[in-house]
CSV table of all heavy atoms in Angstrom, one decimal:
chain,number,residue,atom,x,y,z
A,152,ARG,N,-7.5,7.9,21.2
A,152,ARG,CA,-7.9,8.9,22.2
A,152,ARG,C,-8.9,8.3,23.1
A,152,ARG,O,-9.4,7.2,22.8
A,152,ARG,CB,-8.5,10.2,21.5
A,152,ARG,CG,-9.7,9.9,20.7
A,152,ARG,CD,-10.2,11.3,20.0
A,152,ARG,NE,-9.3,12.0,19.4
A,152,ARG,CZ,-8.8,13.3,19.8
A,152,ARG,NH1,-9.2,13.8,21.0
A,152,ARG,NH2,-7.8,13.9,19.1
A,153,ALA,N,-8.9,8.9,24.2
A,153,ALA,CA,-9.8,8.4,25.3
A,153,ALA,C,-11.3,8.6,25.0
A,153,ALA,O,-11.7,9.5,24.2
A,153,ALA,CB,-9.5,9.1,26.6
A,154,VAL,N,-12.1,7.7,25.4
A,154,VAL,CA,-13.5,7.8,25.3
A,154,VAL,C,-14.0,8.1,26.7
A,154,VAL,O,-13.7,7.4,27.7
A,154,VAL,CB,-14.2,6.4,24.8
A,154,VAL,CG1,-15.7,6.5,24.8
A,154,VAL,CG2,-13.6,6.2,23.3
A,155,PHE,N,-14.8,9.0,26.8
A,155,PHE,CA,-15.4,9.5,28.2
A,155,PHE,C,-16.9,9.2,28.4
A,155,PHE,O,-17.7,9.3,27.3
A,155,PHE,CB,-15.2,11.0,28.4
A,155,PHE,CG,-13.8,11.4,28.2
A,155,PHE,CD1,-13.2,11.8,27.0
A,155,PHE,CD2,-13.0,11.5,29.3
A,155,PHE,CE1,-12.0,12.2,27.0
A,155,PHE,CE2,-11.7,11.8,29.2
A,155,PHE,CZ,-11.1,12.2,28.0
A,156,ASP,N,-17.3,9.0,29.5
A,156,ASP,CA,-18.8,8.8,29.8
A,156,ASP,C,-19.3,10.2,30.1
A,156,ASP,O,-18.6,11.3,30.0
A,156,ASP,CB,-19.1,7.9,31.0
A,156,ASP,CG,-18.5,8.3,32.3
A,156,ASP,OD1,-18.1,9.5,32.5
A,156,ASP,OD2,-18.6,7.6,33.2
A,157,THR,N,-20.6,10.4,30.3
A,157,THR,CA,-21.2,11.7,30.5
A,157,THR,C,-20.7,12.5,31.8
A,157,THR,O,-20.9,13.6,31.8
A,157,THR,CB,-22.8,11.6,30.6
A,157,THR,OG1,-23.1,10.6,31.6
A,157,THR,CG2,-23.3,11.0,29.3
A,158,SER,N,-20.1,11.7,32.6
A,158,SER,CA,-19.5,12.4,33.9
A,158,SER,C,-18.1,12.8,33.7
A,158,SER,O,-17.4,13.4,34.6
A,158,SER,CB,-19.6,11.5,35.1
A,158,SER,OG,-20.9,11.1,35.3
A,159,GLY,N,-17.5,12.5,32.5
A,159,GLY,CA,-16.1,12.9,32.2
A,159,GLY,C,-15.0,11.9,32.6
A,159,GLY,O,-13.9,12.1,32.5
A,160,ASN,N,-15.5,10.6,33.0
A,160,ASN,CA,-14.6,9.6,33.3
A,160,ASN,C,-14.2,8.8,32.0
A,160,ASN,O,-15.0,8.5,31.1
A,160,ASN,CB,-15.2,8.6,34.2
A,160,ASN,CG,-15.6,9.3,35.6
A,160,ASN,OD1,-14.9,9.9,36.1
A,160,ASN,ND2,-16.9,9.1,35.9
A,161,VAL,N,-13.0,8.4,31.9
A,161,VAL,CA,-12.4,7.6,30.8
A,161,VAL,C,-13.1,6.2,31.0
A,161,VAL,O,-12.9,5.5,32.0
A,161,VAL,CB,-10.9,7.5,30.8
A,161,VAL,CG1,-10.4,6.7,29.7
A,161,VAL,CG2,-10.3,8.9,30.6
A,162,ILE,N,-13.8,5.8,29.8
A,162,ILE,CA,-14.3,4.5,29.9
A,162,ILE,C,-13.7,3.5,28.7
A,162,ILE,O,-14.1,2.4,28.7
A,162,ILE,CB,-15.9,4.5,29.7
A,162,ILE,CG1,-16.2,5.2,28.5
A,162,ILE,CG2,-16.4,5.2,30.8
A,162,ILE,CD1,-17.7,5.2,28.0
A,163,GLY,N,-12.8,4.1,28.0
A,163,GLY,CA,-12.1,3.2,27.0
A,163,GLY,C,-11.4,4.1,26.0
A,163,GLY,O,-11.1,5.2,26.3
A,164,MET,N,-11.1,3.6,24.9
A,164,MET,CA,-10.3,4.2,23.8
A,164,MET,C,-10.9,3.9,22.5
A,164,MET,O,-11.6,2.9,22.2
A,164,MET,CB,-8.9,3.7,23.9
A,164,MET,CG,-8.1,4.0,25.1
A,164,MET,SD,-6.5,3.3,25.1
A,164,MET,CE,-5.8,3.6,23.5
A,165,SER,N,-10.8,4.9,21.6
A,165,SER,CA,-11.1,4.8,20.2
A,165,SER,C,-9.9,5.1,19.4
A,165,SER,O,-9.0,5.9,19.9
A,165,SER,CB,-12.3,5.5,19.8
A,165,SER,OG,-12.1,6.9,19.8
A,166,GLY,N,-9.8,4.5,18.2
A,166,GLY,CA,-8.6,4.9,17.4
A,166,GLY,C,-8.7,4.4,16.0
A,166,GLY,O,-9.7,3.9,15.6
A,167,ILE,N,-7.8,4.9,15.2
A,167,ILE,CA,-7.7,4.6,13.9
A,167,ILE,C,-6.3,4.0,13.6
A,167,ILE,O,-5.3,4.5,13.9
A,167,ILE,CB,-7.8,5.9,12.9
A,167,ILE,CG1,-9.2,6.5,13.2
A,167,ILE,CG2,-7.6,5.6,11.5
A,167,ILE,CD1,-9.3,7.9,12.7
A,168,LEU,N,-6.3,2.8,13.0
A,168,LEU,CA,-5.1,2.0,12.6
A,168,LEU,C,-4.9,2.2,11.1
A,168,LEU,O,-5.7,1.9,10.3
A,168,LEU,CB,-5.2,0.5,12.9
A,168,LEU,CG,-5.4,0.2,14.5
A,168,LEU,CD1,-5.8,-1.2,14.6
A,168,LEU,CD2,-4.2,0.5,15.2
A,169,ARG,N,-3.7,2.6,10.8
A,169,ARG,CA,-3.4,2.8,9.3
A,169,ARG,C,-2.1,1.9,9.0
A,169,ARG,O,-1.1,1.8,9.8
A,169,ARG,CB,-2.9,4.2,9.1
A,169,ARG,CG,-2.4,4.5,7.7
A,169,ARG,CD,-2.4,5.9,7.3
A,169,ARG,NE,-3.7,6.3,7.2
A,169,ARG,CZ,-4.0,7.6,7.2
A,169,ARG,NH1,-3.3,8.5,7.4
A,169,ARG,NH2,-5.4,7.9,7.0
A,170,ASP,N,-2.2,1.1,8.1
A,170,ASP,CA,-1.2,0.3,7.7
A,170,ASP,C,-0.1,1.0,7.0
A,170,ASP,O,-0.3,1.7,6.0
A,170,ASP,CB,-1.7,-0.8,6.6
A,170,ASP,CG,-0.8,-1.9,6.4
A,170,ASP,OD1,0.5,-1.7,6.2
A,170,ASP,OD2,-1.2,-3.2,6.4
A,171,ILE,N,1.1,0.9,7.6
A,171,ILE,CA,2.3,1.7,7.0
A,171,ILE,C,3.4,0.7,6.6
A,171,ILE,O,4.6,1.2,6.5
A,171,ILE,CB,2.8,2.7,8.1
A,171,ILE,CG1,3.2,2.0,9.3
A,171,ILE,CG2,1.8,3.8,8.3
A,171,ILE,CD1,4.0,2.9,10.3
A,172,THR,N,3.1,-0.5,6.4
A,172,THR,CA,4.0,-1.5,6.0
A,172,THR,C,4.8,-1.1,4.8
A,172,THR,O,6.1,-1.2,4.9
A,172,THR,CB,3.3,-2.9,5.7
A,172,THR,OG1,2.5,-3.2,6.8
A,172,THR,CG2,4.3,-4.0,5.3
A,173,ASP,N,4.2,-0.7,3.7
A,173,ASP,CA,5.0,-0.2,2.6
A,173,ASP,C,5.9,1.0,2.9
A,173,ASP,O,7.0,1.0,2.4
A,173,ASP,CB,3.9,0.2,1.4
A,173,ASP,CG,3.2,-0.9,0.9
A,173,ASP,OD1,3.7,-2.1,0.9
A,173,ASP,OD2,2.2,-0.7,0.2
A,174,ARG,N,5.5,1.9,3.7
A,174,ARG,CA,6.3,3.0,4.1
A,174,ARG,C,7.5,2.6,4.8
A,174,ARG,O,8.7,3.0,4.6
A,174,ARG,CB,5.5,4.0,4.9
A,174,ARG,CG,6.4,5.2,5.3
A,174,ARG,CD,5.6,6.2,6.1
A,174,ARG,NE,5.7,5.9,7.6
A,174,ARG,CZ,4.9,6.4,8.5
A,174,ARG,NH1,4.0,7.2,8.2
A,174,ARG,NH2,5.2,6.1,9.7
A,175,LYS,N,7.3,1.6,5.8
A,175,LYS,CA,8.5,0.9,6.5
A,175,LYS,C,9.4,0.2,5.6
A,175,LYS,O,10.6,0.4,5.8
A,175,LYS,CB,7.9,0.0,7.6
A,175,LYS,CG,7.3,0.8,8.7
A,175,LYS,CD,8.1,1.7,9.5
A,175,LYS,CE,8.5,1.3,10.8
A,175,LYS,NZ,9.3,2.2,11.5
A,176,ARG,N,8.9,-0.4,4.6
A,176,ARG,CA,9.8,-1.2,3.7
A,176,ARG,C,10.7,-0.2,2.9
A,176,ARG,O,11.9,-0.5,2.7
A,176,ARG,CB,9.0,-2.1,2.7
A,176,ARG,CG,8.5,-3.3,3.4
A,176,ARG,CD,7.7,-4.2,2.4
A,176,ARG,NE,7.1,-5.3,3.1
A,176,ARG,CZ,5.9,-5.8,2.8
A,176,ARG,NH1,5.2,-5.2,1.9
A,176,ARG,NH2,5.4,-6.7,3.5
A,177,ILE,N,10.1,0.9,2.5
A,177,ILE,CA,10.7,2.0,1.7
A,177,ILE,C,11.8,2.6,2.7
A,177,ILE,O,13.0,2.7,2.2
A,177,ILE,CB,9.9,3.0,1.2
A,177,ILE,CG1,8.9,2.4,0.1
A,177,ILE,CG2,10.6,4.2,0.7
A,177,ILE,CD1,7.8,3.2,-0.4
A,178,GLU,N,11.5,2.9,3.9
A,178,GLU,CA,12.4,3.4,4.8
A,178,GLU,C,13.6,2.5,5.1
A,178,GLU,O,14.8,2.9,5.1
A,178,GLU,CB,11.8,3.7,6.2
A,178,GLU,CG,10.7,5.0,6.1
A,178,GLU,CD,10.0,5.1,7.4
A,178,GLU,OE1,10.1,4.3,8.3
A,178,GLU,OE2,9.2,6.1,7.5
A,179,ASP,N,13.3,1.2,5.2
A,179,ASP,CA,14.4,0.2,5.4
A,179,ASP,C,15.2,0.1,4.2
A,179,ASP,O,16.5,0.0,4.4
A,179,ASP,CB,13.7,-1.2,5.7
A,179,ASP,CG,13.1,-1.2,7.1
A,179,ASP,OD1,13.4,-0.3,8.0
A,179,ASP,OD2,12.4,-2.2,7.4
A,180,ALA,N,14.7,0.1,3.1
A,180,ALA,CA,15.5,0.1,1.8
A,180,ALA,C,16.3,1.3,1.7
A,180,ALA,O,17.6,1.2,1.3
A,180,ALA,CB,14.7,0.0,0.5
A,181,LEU,N,15.8,2.5,1.9
A,181,LEU,CA,16.6,3.7,1.9
A,181,LEU,C,17.8,3.6,2.9
A,181,LEU,O,18.8,4.0,2.6
A,181,LEU,CB,15.7,4.9,2.2
A,181,LEU,CG,16.4,6.3,2.1
A,181,LEU,CD1,17.0,6.5,0.8
A,181,LEU,CD2,15.4,7.4,2.5
A,182,ARG,N,17.4,3.2,4.2
A,182,ARG,CA,18.5,3.1,5.3
A,182,ARG,C,19.6,2.1,4.8
A,182,ARG,O,20.8,2.4,4.9
A,182,ARG,CB,17.9,2.6,6.5
A,182,ARG,CG,18.9,2.7,7.7
A,182,ARG,CD,18.1,2.4,9.1
A,182,ARG,NE,16.9,1.7,9.1
A,182,ARG,CZ,15.7,2.3,9.1
A,182,ARG,NH1,15.6,3.6,9.1
A,182,ARG,NH2,14.5,1.6,9.1
A,183,GLU,N,19.2,1.0,4.2
A,183,GLU,CA,20.2,0.0,3.7
A,183,GLU,C,21.0,0.6,2.5
A,183,GLU,O,22.3,0.4,2.6
A,183,GLU,CB,19.4,-1.2,3.2
A,183,GLU,CG,20.3,-2.4,2.9
A,183,GLU,CD,19.5,-3.6,2.6
A,183,GLU,OE1,18.7,-4.1,3.4
A,183,GLU,OE2,19.7,-4.1,1.5
A,184,SER,N,20.5,1.3,1.7
A,184,SER,CA,21.2,1.9,0.6
A,184,SER,C,22.1,3.0,1.1
A,184,SER,O,23.3,3.1,0.7
A,184,SER,CB,20.2,2.6,-0.3
A,184,SER,OG,20.9,3.3,-1.4
A,185,GLU,N,21.7,3.8,2.1
A,185,GLU,CA,22.6,4.8,2.7
A,185,GLU,C,23.8,4.1,3.4
A,185,GLU,O,24.9,4.6,3.3
A,185,GLU,CB,21.8,5.6,3.7
A,185,GLU,CG,20.9,6.6,3.0
A,185,GLU,CD,20.0,7.4,4.0
A,185,GLU,OE1,19.9,7.0,5.2
A,185,GLU,OE2,19.4,8.4,3.6
A,186,GLU,N,23.6,3.0,4.1
A,186,GLU,CA,24.6,2.3,4.8
A,186,GLU,C,25.6,1.7,3.8
A,186,GLU,O,26.8,1.8,4.0
A,186,GLU,CB,24.0,1.2,5.6
A,186,GLU,CG,23.3,1.7,6.9
A,186,GLU,CD,22.5,0.6,7.7
A,186,GLU,OE1,22.7,-0.6,7.3
A,186,GLU,OE2,22.0,0.9,8.6
A,187,LYS,N,25.2,1.3,2.7
A,187,LYS,CA,26.1,0.7,1.6
A,187,LYS,C,26.9,1.8,1.1
A,187,LYS,O,28.2,1.7,0.9
A,187,LYS,CB,25.3,0.0,0.5
A,187,LYS,CG,24.7,-1.3,0.9
A,187,LYS,CD,24.0,-2.0,-0.3
A,187,LYS,CE,23.3,-3.2,0.2
A,187,LYS,NZ,22.5,-3.8,-1.0
A,188,PHE,N,26.3,3.0,0.8
A,188,PHE,CA,27.0,4.1,0.2
A,188,PHE,C,28.0,4.6,1.2
A,188,PHE,O,29.2,4.9,0.9
A,188,PHE,CB,26.0,5.2,-0.2
A,188,PHE,CG,26.7,6.4,-0.8
A,188,PHE,CD1,27.2,6.4,-1.9
A,188,PHE,CD2,26.8,7.6,0.0
A,188,PHE,CE1,27.9,7.5,-2.5
A,188,PHE,CE2,27.5,8.7,-0.6
A,188,PHE,CZ,27.9,8.7,-1.8
A,189,ARG,N,27.7,4.7,2.4
A,189,ARG,CA,28.5,5.2,3.6
A,189,ARG,C,29.8,4.3,3.6
A,189,ARG,O,30.9,4.7,3.7
A,189,ARG,CB,27.9,5.3,4.9
A,189,ARG,CG,28.7,5.9,5.9
A,189,ARG,CD,28.0,6.0,7.2
A,189,ARG,NE,26.8,6.9,7.1
A,189,ARG,CZ,25.5,6.5,7.3
A,189,ARG,NH1,25.3,5.2,7.5
A,189,ARG,NH2,24.5,7.3,7.1
A,190,SER,N,29.5,3.0,3.6
A,190,SER,CA,30.6,2.0,3.7
A,190,SER,C,31.5,2.0,2.5
A,190,SER,O,32.8,2.0,2.7
A,190,SER,CB,29.9,0.5,3.7
A,190,SER,OG,31.0,-0.5,3.7
A,191,ILE,N,31.0,2.3,1.3
A,191,ILE,CA,31.9,2.5,0.1
A,191,ILE,C,32.7,3.7,0.3
A,191,ILE,O,33.9,3.7,0.1
A,191,ILE,CB,31.0,2.5,-1.2
A,191,ILE,CG1,30.4,1.2,-1.4
A,191,ILE,CG2,31.8,3.0,-2.3
A,191,ILE,CD1,29.3,1.2,-2.6
A,192,VAL,N,32.1,4.8,0.7
A,192,VAL,CA,32.8,6.1,0.9
A,192,VAL,C,33.9,5.9,2.0
A,192,VAL,O,35.1,6.3,1.8
A,192,VAL,CB,31.9,7.2,1.3
A,192,VAL,CG1,32.6,8.4,1.7
A,192,VAL,CG2,31.0,7.5,0.0
A,193,GLU,N,33.6,5.3,3.1
A,193,GLU,CA,34.5,5.1,4.2
A,193,GLU,C,35.8,4.1,3.9
A,193,GLU,O,36.8,4.4,4.3
A,193,GLU,CB,33.8,4.6,5.4
A,193,GLU,CG,32.9,5.6,6.1
A,193,GLU,CD,32.0,5.0,7.2
A,193,GLU,OE1,32.1,3.7,7.5
A,193,GLU,OE2,31.3,5.7,7.8
A,194,THR,N,35.4,3.2,3.0
A,194,THR,CA,36.6,2.2,2.7
A,194,THR,C,37.4,2.8,1.5
A,194,THR,O,38.4,2.3,1.2
A,194,THR,CB,36.0,0.9,2.3
A,194,THR,OG1,35.1,0.9,1.3
A,194,THR,CG2,35.4,0.2,3.6
A,195,SER,N,36.8,3.7,0.6
A,195,SER,CA,37.5,4.2,-0.5
A,195,SER,C,37.4,5.8,-0.5
A,195,SER,O,36.7,6.5,-1.3
A,195,SER,CB,36.9,3.7,-1.8
A,195,SER,OG,36.9,2.2,-1.7
A,196,PRO,N,38.1,6.4,0.4
A,196,PRO,CA,38.0,7.9,0.4
A,196,PRO,C,38.4,8.7,-0.7
A,196,PRO,O,38.0,9.8,-1.0
A,196,PRO,CB,38.8,8.3,1.6
A,196,PRO,CG,39.7,7.1,1.9
A,196,PRO,CD,39.0,5.9,1.4
A,197,ASN,N,39.3,8.0,-1.6
A,197,ASN,CA,39.7,8.6,-2.8
A,197,ASN,C,38.8,8.7,-3.9
A,197,ASN,O,39.1,9.3,-4.9
A,197,ASN,CB,41.1,8.0,-3.3
A,197,ASN,CG,42.2,8.1,-2.3
A,197,ASN,OD1,42.1,9.2,-1.5
A,197,ASN,ND2,43.1,7.3,-2.1
A,198,LEU,N,37.6,8.0,-3.8
A,198,LEU,CA,36.7,8.0,-4.9
A,198,LEU,C,35.9,9.3,-5.0
A,198,LEU,O,35.3,9.7,-6.0
A,198,LEU,CB,35.5,6.9,-4.6
A,198,LEU,CG,36.0,5.4,-4.8
A,198,LEU,CD1,34.9,4.5,-4.4
A,198,LEU,CD2,36.5,5.2,-6.2
């Protein structure tokens, strides 16, 4: 978010950084698994 001076002018920013690396890895693994499952279903519709 913006940081303001006493006159209301933006003088910078402050923020919070959260590491979401593990969440991204899980999301990527889930997406990869869904793609494999979709590929199996699409190539073998009688399953």
Side-chain angles (χ1 to χ4, degrees):
R152 60 181 49 251
V154 175
F155 301 91
D156 64 12
T157 56
S158 300
N160 301 310
V161 176
I162 58 170
M164 293 174 47
S165 66
I167 300 172
L168 297 170
R169 174 165 289 158
D170 192 315
I171 60 167
T172 304
D173 290 339
R174 182 178 92 192
K175 290 298 253 182
R176 286 183 185 140
I177 291 168
E178 289 172 356
D179 288 346
L181 180 60
R182 188 173 21 263
E183 190 175 300
S184 175
E185 287 174 345
E186 288 172 4
K187 285 180 184 177
F188 180 71
R189 186 177 301 112
S190 174
I191 291 170
V192 169
E193 288 172 356
T194 59
S195 306
N197 296 332
L198 288 176

